[in-house]
PDB file of all heavy atoms in Angstrom:
ATOM      1  N   SER A  18      29.367 -49.333  54.775  1.00  0.00           N
ATOM      2  CA  SER A  18      30.265 -50.346  55.355  1.00  0.00           C
ATOM      3  C   SER A  18      30.036 -50.474  56.850  1.00  0.00           C
ATOM      4  O   SER A  18      30.102 -51.542  57.455  1.00  0.00           O
ATOM      5  CB  SER A  18      31.658 -50.165  55.126  1.00  0.00           C
ATOM      6  OG  SER A  18      32.087 -48.918  55.621  1.00  0.00           O
ATOM      7  N   ASN A  19      29.659 -49.440  57.548  1.00  0.00           N
ATOM      8  CA  ASN A  19      29.402 -49.472  58.940  1.00  0.00           C
ATOM      9  C   ASN A  19      28.147 -50.195  59.366  1.00  0.00           C
ATOM     10  O   ASN A  19      27.846 -50.613  60.443  1.00  0.00           O
ATOM     11  CB  ASN A  19      29.234 -48.059  59.539  1.00  0.00           C
ATOM     12  CG  ASN A  19      30.589 -47.283  59.569  1.00  0.00           C
ATOM     13  OD1 ASN A  19      31.645 -47.918  59.621  1.00  0.00           O
ATOM     14  ND2 ASN A  19      30.544 -45.962  59.609  1.00  0.00           N
ATOM     15  N   HIS A  20      27.234 -50.492  58.285  1.00  0.00           N
ATOM     16  CA  HIS A  20      26.167 -51.276  58.414  1.00  0.00           C
ATOM     17  C   HIS A  20      26.415 -52.774  57.998  1.00  0.00           C
ATOM     18  O   HIS A  20      25.462 -53.557  57.816  1.00  0.00           O
ATOM     19  CB  HIS A  20      24.921 -50.717  57.589  1.00  0.00           C
ATOM     20  CG  HIS A  20      24.280 -49.592  58.217  1.00  0.00           C
ATOM     21  ND1 HIS A  20      24.832 -48.357  58.206  1.00  0.00           N
ATOM     22  CD2 HIS A  20      23.124 -49.465  58.928  1.00  0.00           C
ATOM     23  CE1 HIS A  20      23.946 -47.477  58.867  1.00  0.00           C
ATOM     24  NE2 HIS A  20      22.964 -48.184  59.248  1.00  0.00           N
ATOM     25  N   GLY A  21      27.723 -53.085  57.817  1.00  0.00           N
ATOM     26  CA  GLY A  21      28.007 -54.478  57.466  1.00  0.00           C
ATOM     27  C   GLY A  21      27.836 -54.774  56.045  1.00  0.00           C
ATOM     28  O   GLY A  21      27.867 -55.928  55.585  1.00  0.00           O
ATOM     29  N   ARG A  22      27.650 -53.750  55.134  1.00  0.00           N
ATOM     30  CA  ARG A  22      27.507 -53.947  53.640  1.00  0.00           C
ATOM     31  C   ARG A  22      28.812 -53.407  53.071  1.00  0.00           C
ATOM     32  O   ARG A  22      29.206 -52.291  53.176  1.00  0.00           O
ATOM     33  CB  ARG A  22      26.337 -53.265  53.136  1.00  0.00           C
ATOM     34  CG  ARG A  22      25.008 -53.789  53.737  1.00  0.00           C
ATOM     35  CD  ARG A  22      23.795 -53.055  53.254  1.00  0.00           C
ATOM     36  NE  ARG A  22      23.738 -53.155  51.841  1.00  0.00           N
ATOM     37  CZ  ARG A  22      22.600 -52.865  51.112  1.00  0.00           C
ATOM     38  NH1 ARG A  22      21.458 -52.599  51.779  1.00  0.00           N
ATOM     39  NH2 ARG A  22      22.680 -52.894  49.811  1.00  0.00           N
ATOM     40  N   HIS A  23      29.363 -54.253  52.207  1.00  0.00           N
ATOM     41  CA  HIS A  23      30.713 -53.939  51.685  1.00  0.00           C
ATOM     42  C   HIS A  23      30.738 -54.023  50.072  1.00  0.00           C
ATOM     43  O   HIS A  23      31.800 -54.222  49.518  1.00  0.00           O
ATOM     44  CB  HIS A  23      31.771 -54.907  52.241  1.00  0.00           C
ATOM     45  CG  HIS A  23      31.855 -54.847  53.628  1.00  0.00           C
ATOM     46  ND1 HIS A  23      32.434 -53.805  54.438  1.00  0.00           N
ATOM     47  CD2 HIS A  23      31.360 -55.670  54.669  1.00  0.00           C
ATOM     48  CE1 HIS A  23      32.311 -53.985  55.693  1.00  0.00           C
ATOM     49  NE2 HIS A  23      31.726 -55.203  55.929  1.00  0.00           N
ATOM     50  N   GLU A  24      29.536 -53.807  49.483  1.00  0.00           N
ATOM     51  CA  GLU A  24      29.512 -53.746  48.024  1.00  0.00           C
ATOM     52  C   GLU A  24      30.115 -52.548  47.466  1.00  0.00           C
ATOM     53  O   GLU A  24      30.402 -51.522  48.237  1.00  0.00           O
ATOM     54  CB  GLU A  24      28.079 -53.972  47.526  1.00  0.00           C
ATOM     55  CG  GLU A  24      27.124 -52.830  47.872  1.00  0.00           C
ATOM     56  CD  GLU A  24      26.278 -53.269  49.160  1.00  0.00           C
ATOM     57  OE1 GLU A  24      26.806 -53.786  50.113  1.00  0.00           O
ATOM     58  OE2 GLU A  24      25.009 -53.019  49.078  1.00  0.00           O
ATOM     59  N   GLU A  25      30.304 -52.402  46.158  1.00  0.00           N
ATOM     60  CA  GLU A  25      30.853 -51.323  45.502  1.00  0.00           C
ATOM     61  C   GLU A  25      29.982 -50.063  45.586  1.00  0.00           C
ATOM     62  O   GLU A  25      28.793 -50.189  45.454  1.00  0.00           O
ATOM     63  CB  GLU A  25      31.101 -51.663  44.073  1.00  0.00           C
ATOM     64  CG  GLU A  25      31.988 -50.607  43.355  1.00  0.00           C
ATOM     65  CD  GLU A  25      32.273 -50.962  41.878  1.00  0.00           C
ATOM     66  OE1 GLU A  25      31.840 -51.999  41.473  1.00  0.00           O
ATOM     67  OE2 GLU A  25      32.855 -50.130  41.166  1.00  0.00           O
ATOM     68  N   VAL A  26      30.558 -48.984  45.989  1.00  0.00           N
ATOM     69  CA  VAL A  26      29.929 -47.731  46.184  1.00  0.00           C
ATOM     70  C   VAL A  26      30.266 -46.753  45.083  1.00  0.00           C
ATOM     71  O   VAL A  26      31.454 -46.565  44.707  1.00  0.00           O
ATOM     72  CB  VAL A  26      30.183 -47.121  47.648  1.00  0.00           C
ATOM     73  CG1 VAL A  26      29.611 -45.738  47.681  1.00  0.00           C
ATOM     74  CG2 VAL A  26      29.684 -48.023  48.627  1.00  0.00           C
ATOM     75  N   GLU A  27      29.272 -46.009  44.571  1.00  0.00           N
ATOM     76  CA  GLU A  27      29.455 -44.983  43.532  1.00  0.00           C
ATOM     77  C   GLU A  27      29.376 -43.671  44.165  1.00  0.00           C
ATOM     78  O   GLU A  27      28.528 -43.393  44.896  1.00  0.00           O
ATOM     79  CB  GLU A  27      28.399 -45.047  42.385  1.00  0.00           C
ATOM     80  CG  GLU A  27      28.564 -44.019  41.377  1.00  0.00           C
ATOM     81  CD  GLU A  27      27.503 -44.107  40.225  1.00  0.00           C
ATOM     82  OE1 GLU A  27      26.500 -44.821  40.503  1.00  0.00           O
ATOM     83  OE2 GLU A  27      27.690 -43.427  39.273  1.00  0.00           O
ATOM     84  N   GLU A  28      30.420 -42.837  43.874  1.00  0.00           N
ATOM     85  CA  GLU A  28      30.439 -41.465  44.373  1.00  0.00           C
ATOM     86  C   GLU A  28      29.879 -40.541  43.263  1.00  0.00           C
ATOM     87  O   GLU A  28      30.367 -40.494  42.155  1.00  0.00           O
ATOM     88  CB  GLU A  28      31.905 -41.022  44.726  1.00  0.00           C
ATOM     89  CG  GLU A  28      31.992 -39.531  45.193  1.00  0.00           C
ATOM     90  CD  GLU A  28      33.447 -39.161  45.335  1.00  0.00           C
ATOM     91  OE1 GLU A  28      34.320 -40.064  45.330  1.00  0.00           O
ATOM     92  OE2 GLU A  28      33.699 -37.985  45.555  1.00  0.00           O
ATOM     93  N   VAL A  29      28.902 -39.754  43.650  1.00  0.00           N
ATOM     94  CA  VAL A  29      28.238 -38.853  42.651  1.00  0.00           C
ATOM     95  C   VAL A  29      28.273 -37.434  43.297  1.00  0.00           C
ATOM     96  O   VAL A  29      28.184 -37.328  44.503  1.00  0.00           O
ATOM     97  CB  VAL A  29      26.877 -39.190  42.265  1.00  0.00           C
ATOM     98  CG1 VAL A  29      26.854 -40.651  41.474  1.00  0.00           C
ATOM     99  CG2 VAL A  29      25.945 -39.328  43.517  1.00  0.00           C
ATOM    100  N   ARG A  30      28.381 -36.411  42.459  1.00  0.00           N
ATOM    101  CA  ARG A  30      28.329 -35.034  42.906  1.00  0.00           C
ATOM    102  C   ARG A  30      26.864 -34.503  42.709  1.00  0.00           C
ATOM    103  O   ARG A  30      26.268 -34.696  41.688  1.00  0.00           O
ATOM    104  CB  ARG A  30      29.280 -34.158  42.141  1.00  0.00           C
ATOM    105  CG  ARG A  30      30.739 -34.522  42.340  1.00  0.00           C
ATOM    106  CD  ARG A  30      31.277 -34.328  43.716  1.00  0.00           C
ATOM    107  NE  ARG A  30      31.284 -32.824  44.160  1.00  0.00           N
ATOM    108  CZ  ARG A  30      31.796 -32.395  45.290  1.00  0.00           C
ATOM    109  NH1 ARG A  30      32.285 -33.323  46.158  1.00  0.00           N
ATOM    110  NH2 ARG A  30      31.862 -31.078  45.476  1.00  0.00           N
ATOM    111  N   ILE A  31      26.359 -33.911  43.779  1.00  0.00           N
ATOM    112  CA  ILE A  31      24.940 -33.500  43.875  1.00  0.00           C
ATOM    113  C   ILE A  31      24.919 -32.049  44.265  1.00  0.00           C
ATOM    114  O   ILE A  31      25.688 -31.612  45.158  1.00  0.00           O
ATOM    115  CB  ILE A  31      24.132 -34.359  44.840  1.00  0.00           C
ATOM    116  CG1 ILE A  31      24.224 -35.903  44.447  1.00  0.00           C
ATOM    117  CG2 ILE A  31      22.665 -33.875  44.851  1.00  0.00           C
ATOM    118  CD1 ILE A  31      23.620 -36.280  43.103  1.00  0.00           C
ATOM    119  N   PRO A  32      24.140 -31.269  43.601  1.00  0.00           N
ATOM    120  CA  PRO A  32      23.915 -29.825  44.066  1.00  0.00           C
ATOM    121  C   PRO A  32      23.611 -29.802  45.497  1.00  0.00           C
ATOM    122  O   PRO A  32      22.814 -30.486  46.040  1.00  0.00           O
ATOM    123  CB  PRO A  32      22.814 -29.286  43.196  1.00  0.00           C
ATOM    124  CG  PRO A  32      22.736 -30.183  41.998  1.00  0.00           C
ATOM    125  CD  PRO A  32      23.191 -31.558  42.472  1.00  0.00           C
ATOM    126  N   ALA A  33      24.324 -28.824  46.192  1.00  0.00           N
ATOM    127  CA  ALA A  33      24.181 -28.803  47.636  1.00  0.00           C
ATOM    128  C   ALA A  33      23.342 -27.622  48.162  1.00  0.00           C
ATOM    129  O   ALA A  33      23.232 -26.557  47.531  1.00  0.00           O
ATOM    130  CB  ALA A  33      25.587 -28.612  48.245  1.00  0.00           C
ATOM    131  N   ARG A  34      22.664 -27.884  49.210  1.00  0.00           N
ATOM    132  CA  ARG A  34      21.838 -26.777  49.909  1.00  0.00           C
ATOM    133  C   ARG A  34      22.017 -26.979  51.442  1.00  0.00           C
ATOM    134  O   ARG A  34      22.312 -28.081  51.899  1.00  0.00           O
ATOM    135  CB  ARG A  34      20.351 -26.931  49.592  1.00  0.00           C
ATOM    136  CG  ARG A  34      19.984 -26.734  48.124  1.00  0.00           C
ATOM    137  CD  ARG A  34      20.195 -25.272  47.682  1.00  0.00           C
ATOM    138  NE  ARG A  34      19.625 -25.018  46.318  1.00  0.00           N
ATOM    139  CZ  ARG A  34      20.388 -25.279  45.221  1.00  0.00           C
ATOM    140  NH1 ARG A  34      21.571 -25.736  45.316  1.00  0.00           N
ATOM    141  NH2 ARG A  34      19.848 -24.907  44.053  1.00  0.00           N
ATOM    142  N   THR A  35      21.871 -25.891  52.153  1.00  0.00           N
ATOM    143  CA  THR A  35      21.675 -25.920  53.629  1.00  0.00           C
ATOM    144  C   THR A  35      20.199 -25.934  53.769  1.00  0.00           C
ATOM    145  O   THR A  35      19.369 -25.588  52.890  1.00  0.00           O
ATOM    146  CB  THR A  35      22.401 -24.789  54.249  1.00  0.00           C
ATOM    147  OG1 THR A  35      21.820 -23.600  53.855  1.00  0.00           O
ATOM    148  CG2 THR A  35      23.830 -24.805  54.022  1.00  0.00           C
ATOM    149  N   ALA A  36      19.829 -26.174  55.101  1.00  0.00           N
ATOM    150  CA  ALA A  36      18.373 -26.032  55.385  1.00  0.00           C
ATOM    151  C   ALA A  36      17.939 -24.679  55.121  1.00  0.00           C
ATOM    152  O   ALA A  36      16.839 -24.397  54.537  1.00  0.00           O
ATOM    153  CB  ALA A  36      18.195 -26.366  56.830  1.00  0.00           C
ATOM    154  N   HIS A  37      18.728 -23.635  55.425  1.00  0.00           N
ATOM    155  CA  HIS A  37      18.343 -22.248  55.275  1.00  0.00           C
ATOM    156  C   HIS A  37      18.192 -21.881  53.699  1.00  0.00           C
ATOM    157  O   HIS A  37      17.202 -21.256  53.344  1.00  0.00           O
ATOM    158  CB  HIS A  37      19.389 -21.287  55.837  1.00  0.00           C
ATOM    159  CG  HIS A  37      19.224 -21.096  57.294  1.00  0.00           C
ATOM    160  ND1 HIS A  37      19.777 -20.116  58.035  1.00  0.00           N
ATOM    161  CD2 HIS A  37      18.617 -21.878  58.268  1.00  0.00           C
ATOM    162  CE1 HIS A  37      19.558 -20.278  59.295  1.00  0.00           C
ATOM    163  NE2 HIS A  37      18.824 -21.303  59.504  1.00  0.00           N
ATOM    164  N   SER A  38      19.193 -22.228  52.961  1.00  0.00           N
ATOM    165  CA  SER A  38      19.135 -21.940  51.502  1.00  0.00           C
ATOM    166  C   SER A  38      17.982 -22.733  50.836  1.00  0.00           C
ATOM    167  O   SER A  38      17.438 -22.216  49.920  1.00  0.00           O
ATOM    168  CB  SER A  38      20.401 -22.248  50.862  1.00  0.00           C
ATOM    169  OG  SER A  38      20.774 -23.653  50.825  1.00  0.00           O
ATOM    170  N   LEU A  39      17.698 -23.915  51.338  1.00  0.00           N
ATOM    171  CA  LEU A  39      16.547 -24.671  50.778  1.00  0.00           C
ATOM    172  C   LEU A  39      15.228 -23.963  51.099  1.00  0.00           C
ATOM    173  O   LEU A  39      14.448 -23.727  50.237  1.00  0.00           O
ATOM    174  CB  LEU A  39      16.541 -26.106  51.376  1.00  0.00           C
ATOM    175  CG  LEU A  39      15.321 -26.934  50.969  1.00  0.00           C
ATOM    176  CD1 LEU A  39      15.307 -27.250  49.471  1.00  0.00           C
ATOM    177  CD2 LEU A  39      15.369 -28.224  51.829  1.00  0.00           C
ATOM    178  N   PHE A  40      15.043 -23.616  52.453  1.00  0.00           N
ATOM    179  CA  PHE A  40      13.793 -22.995  52.777  1.00  0.00           C
ATOM    180  C   PHE A  40      13.667 -21.603  52.086  1.00  0.00           C
ATOM    181  O   PHE A  40      12.539 -21.288  51.660  1.00  0.00           O
ATOM    182  CB  PHE A  40      13.767 -22.735  54.341  1.00  0.00           C
ATOM    183  CG  PHE A  40      13.877 -24.009  55.127  1.00  0.00           C
ATOM    184  CD1 PHE A  40      14.301 -23.949  56.435  1.00  0.00           C
ATOM    185  CD2 PHE A  40      13.496 -25.212  54.631  1.00  0.00           C
ATOM    186  CE1 PHE A  40      14.331 -25.103  57.238  1.00  0.00           C
ATOM    187  CE2 PHE A  40      13.519 -26.388  55.413  1.00  0.00           C
ATOM    188  CZ  PHE A  40      13.905 -26.283  56.760  1.00  0.00           C
ATOM    189  N   ASP A  41      14.777 -20.897  51.911  1.00  0.00           N
ATOM    190  CA  ASP A  41      14.653 -19.584  51.337  1.00  0.00           C
ATOM    191  C   ASP A  41      14.328 -19.768  49.761  1.00  0.00           C
ATOM    192  O   ASP A  41      13.462 -18.931  49.218  1.00  0.00           O
ATOM    193  CB  ASP A  41      15.947 -18.822  51.491  1.00  0.00           C
ATOM    194  CG  ASP A  41      16.227 -18.369  52.907  1.00  0.00           C
ATOM    195  OD1 ASP A  41      15.297 -18.476  53.749  1.00  0.00           O
ATOM    196  OD2 ASP A  41      17.374 -18.110  53.234  1.00  0.00           O
ATOM    197  N   GLU A  42      14.934 -20.708  49.170  1.00  0.00           N
ATOM    198  CA  GLU A  42      14.640 -20.948  47.714  1.00  0.00           C
ATOM    199  C   GLU A  42      13.129 -21.340  47.548  1.00  0.00           C
ATOM    200  O   GLU A  42      12.514 -20.931  46.541  1.00  0.00           O
ATOM    201  CB  GLU A  42      15.486 -22.107  47.259  1.00  0.00           C
ATOM    202  CG  GLU A  42      15.239 -22.552  45.785  1.00  0.00           C
ATOM    203  CD  GLU A  42      16.166 -23.683  45.385  1.00  0.00           C
ATOM    204  OE1 GLU A  42      17.389 -23.732  45.805  1.00  0.00           O
ATOM    205  OE2 GLU A  42      15.694 -24.533  44.591  1.00  0.00           O
ATOM    206  N   LEU A  43      12.575 -22.058  48.546  1.00  0.00           N
ATOM    207  CA  LEU A  43      11.221 -22.486  48.423  1.00  0.00           C
ATOM    208  C   LEU A  43      10.221 -21.380  48.966  1.00  0.00           C
ATOM    209  O   LEU A  43       8.979 -21.488  48.869  1.00  0.00           O
ATOM    210  CB  LEU A  43      10.899 -23.738  49.153  1.00  0.00           C
ATOM    211  CG  LEU A  43      11.814 -24.924  48.703  1.00  0.00           C
ATOM    212  CD1 LEU A  43      11.558 -26.171  49.590  1.00  0.00           C
ATOM    213  CD2 LEU A  43      11.523 -25.326  47.269  1.00  0.00           C
ATOM    214  N   GLY A  44      10.799 -20.315  49.451  1.00  0.00           N
ATOM    215  CA  GLY A  44       9.960 -19.189  50.001  1.00  0.00           C
ATOM    216  C   GLY A  44       9.238 -19.535  51.281  1.00  0.00           C
ATOM    217  O   GLY A  44       8.095 -19.133  51.495  1.00  0.00           O
ATOM    218  N   LEU A  45       9.909 -20.356  52.092  1.00  0.00           N
ATOM    219  CA  LEU A  45       9.239 -20.864  53.315  1.00  0.00           C
ATOM    220  C   LEU A  45       9.799 -20.178  54.619  1.00  0.00           C
ATOM    221  O   LEU A  45      10.992 -20.127  54.711  1.00  0.00           O
ATOM    222  CB  LEU A  45       9.398 -22.377  53.449  1.00  0.00           C
ATOM    223  CG  LEU A  45       8.745 -23.241  52.324  1.00  0.00           C
ATOM    224  CD1 LEU A  45       9.153 -24.651  52.527  1.00  0.00           C
ATOM    225  CD2 LEU A  45       7.307 -22.971  52.263  1.00  0.00           C
ATOM    226  N   THR A  46       9.019 -19.666  55.471  1.00  0.00           N
ATOM    227  CA  THR A  46       9.437 -19.346  56.811  1.00  0.00           C
ATOM    228  C   THR A  46       8.599 -20.137  57.863  1.00  0.00           C
ATOM    229  O   THR A  46       8.924 -20.289  58.996  1.00  0.00           O
ATOM    230  CB  THR A  46       9.230 -17.841  57.074  1.00  0.00           C
ATOM    231  OG1 THR A  46       7.901 -17.446  56.778  1.00  0.00           O
ATOM    232  CG2 THR A  46      10.199 -17.067  56.200  1.00  0.00           C
ATOM    233  N   HIS A  47       7.488 -20.676  57.358  1.00  0.00           N
ATOM    234  CA  HIS A  47       6.594 -21.432  58.300  1.00  0.00           C
ATOM    235  C   HIS A  47       6.528 -22.819  57.581  1.00  0.00           C
ATOM    236  O   HIS A  47       5.938 -23.071  56.549  1.00  0.00           O
ATOM    237  CB  HIS A  47       5.133 -20.889  58.261  1.00  0.00           C
ATOM    238  CG  HIS A  47       4.191 -21.509  59.224  1.00  0.00           C
ATOM    239  ND1 HIS A  47       3.277 -20.825  59.995  1.00  0.00           N
ATOM    240  CD2 HIS A  47       4.070 -22.835  59.549  1.00  0.00           C
ATOM    241  CE1 HIS A  47       2.648 -21.693  60.770  1.00  0.00           C
ATOM    242  NE2 HIS A  47       3.058 -22.897  60.439  1.00  0.00           N
ATOM    243  N   ILE A  48       7.112 -23.811  58.303  1.00  0.00           N
ATOM    244  CA  ILE A  48       7.113 -25.256  57.855  1.00  0.00           C
ATOM    245  C   ILE A  48       6.331 -25.996  58.901  1.00  0.00           C
ATOM    246  O   ILE A  48       6.807 -26.239  60.000  1.00  0.00           O
ATOM    247  CB  ILE A  48       8.570 -25.800  57.692  1.00  0.00           C
ATOM    248  CG1 ILE A  48       9.317 -25.001  56.604  1.00  0.00           C
ATOM    249  CG2 ILE A  48       8.594 -27.232  57.374  1.00  0.00           C
ATOM    250  CD1 ILE A  48      10.425 -24.164  57.208  1.00  0.00           C
TER     251      ILE A  48
END
């Protein structure tokens, strides 16, 4: 709505990660 769009919005629950938990899950220290 802050972009001037006022259509209906759906709220969905999505599995959450932080940058750290994502990188660790992927086995990354060098990106």
Side-chain angles (χ1 to χ4, degrees):
S18 62
N19 289 338
H20 283 76
R22 296 183 54 166
H23 302 285
E24 62 259 46
E25 187 176 0
V26 173
E27 179 182 10
E28 177 184 352
V29 295
R30 297 293 294 184
I31 303 296
R34 296 291 187 275
T35 62
H37 282 198
S38 66
L39 175 66
F40 298 158
D41 292 348
E42 178 180 324
L43 300 177
L45 300 176
T46 55
H47 186 143
I48 298 115

